[in-house]
Amino acid sequence: MPLPESTIEPRQCPFCEVELASAGAGFVRHIDEAPECRDAFETWRDRVTDDMRGGWPG
């Protein structure tokens, strides 16, 4: 049985849960405008970078 299709782009900020205007670009714009979310994103990215071969491309 196939798994349901899911998107990996957030519809809301995973750090403050605010609704995003759009998934990918909206998230990037949001973290540019919200310093607390940008800091949380950078911390998250620092923690997962070593878990991915070749580093985190995003």
Side-chain angles (χ1 to χ4, degrees):
M1 182 161 104
L3 296 174
E5 187 176 321
S6 65
T7 179
I8 60 170
E9 294 181 352
R11 299 284 178 199
Q12 64 182 174
C13 177
F15 307 109
C16 72
E17 299 183 356
V18 70
E19 189 74 21
L20 301 173
S22 65
F27 178 71
V28 172
R29 191 169 28 254
H30 173 69
I31 63 171
D32 283 345
E33 297 170 353
E36 62 281 353
C37 294
R38 180 179 50 247
D39 292 345
F41 176 69
E42 291 298 326
T43 298
W44 173 83
R45 187 165 55 180
D46 287 345
R47 291 179 179 166
V48 300
T49 295
D50 293 337
D51 295 340
M52 298 180 182
R53 177 184 278 178
W56 178 256

